[in-house]
Amino acid sequence: MANKAISEFDKNGDSKLSEEELSSAPGLKYCSKQLDSEGDGDGSLNSEEIASRISQYVKMRVGLTPFDCKILLNKRPLVGAKVRLIPESFLVEALDSLEGTSNEGGLVQFTPEDINMSVVPPGMYRVEVTSSELEIPEEYNVKTTLGVEVSSIPDSYHEGQVTFFLKR
């Protein structure tokens, strides 16, 4: 999977993903600082750094982890928005897309059938936000720049609940 990520997103052929190249993989970009700090700390990601993180998911032996997020548009809760978590392309063989709808506080929960809590498989996801009520800029849906890593791995770069701040 890590080699697939490098193959797909490495545009300059240096076998690393720069910050610019990571823009095409917002879920991977979301956790890139932590992944790079676990590796060589050069500001880009190589195959070994990505593989190390994917290996950690497997070693955790956790199929689902608690996760919800908040969606704000112009600093206000976005109500009734459809939020899709789409696995990064190099993870689609292992993960499915998930969908939730934001409530009056902008909170989005991903609650699978037969489970009474918001849980998501560990992984790196693109985040797409759409609404039937409001026009949402394409950088939050069809050309999303939003990404997230869902994991129970301690993360000093992203503390607390994930909140997406959308602007129109």
Side-chain angles (χ1 to χ4, degrees):
M1 290 182 219
N3 289 336
K4 187 174 180 182
I6 296 294
S7 173
E8 182 173 348
F9 300 113
D10 178 23
K11 301 303 178 198
N12 66 6
D14 67 353
S15 299
K16 295 180 180 183
L17 301 180
S18 66
E19 187 172 335
E20 182 179 327
E21 291 167 328
L22 284 166
S23 294
S24 298
L28 186 54
K29 183 175 184 173
Y30 179 88
C31 59
S32 63
K33 286 184 178 147
Q34 186 170 359
L35 271 62
D36 186 47
S37 68
E38 293 171 358
D40 56 20
D42 70 351
S44 61
L45 294 181
N46 60 41
S47 180
E48 292 78 25
E49 291 164 331
I50 298 167
S52 173
R53 182 52 134 228
I54 294 169
S55 176
Q56 286 178 327
Y57 297 155
V58 174
K59 287 178 187 173
M60 287 186 323
R61 303 186 85 163
V62 173
L64 297 169
T65 192
F67 178 80
D68 56 33
C69 64
K70 188 176 263 191
I71 304 291
L72 302 178
L73 178 63
N74 298 330
K75 300 182 182 178
R76 294 182 166 184
L78 180 56
V79 180
K82 296 282 184 207
V83 179
R84 291 186 64 214
L85 298 180
I86 303 165
E88 284 293 0
S89 57
F90 57 92
L91 296 173
V92 295
E93 293 179 21
L95 300 171
D96 292 324
S97 295
L98 301 153
E99 187 174 290
T101 302
S102 59
N103 68 16
E104 59 279 343
L107 182 69
V108 182
Q109 296 189 319
F110 305 90
T111 309
E113 289 183 35
D114 303 325
I115 298 178
N116 198 21
M117 65 185 293
S118 184
V119 290
V120 173
M124 298 166 213
Y125 296 88
R126 304 169 63 80
V127 180
E128 291 183 357
V129 181
T130 58
S131 172
S132 59
E133 305 288 319
L134 298 168
E135 184 177 328
I136 304 294
E138 66 181 14
E139 69 259 26
Y140 307 126
N141 48 64
V142 295
K143 294 184 179 179
T144 191
T145 59
L146 303 174
V148 70
E149 179 188 33
V150 175
S151 173
S152 57
I153 299 169
D155 179 353
S156 60
Y157 291 95
H158 307 101
E159 296 289 330
Q161 182 182 53
V162 175
T163 302
F164 295 102
F165 297 92
L166 284 56
K167 294 179 186 175
R168 214 174 26 154

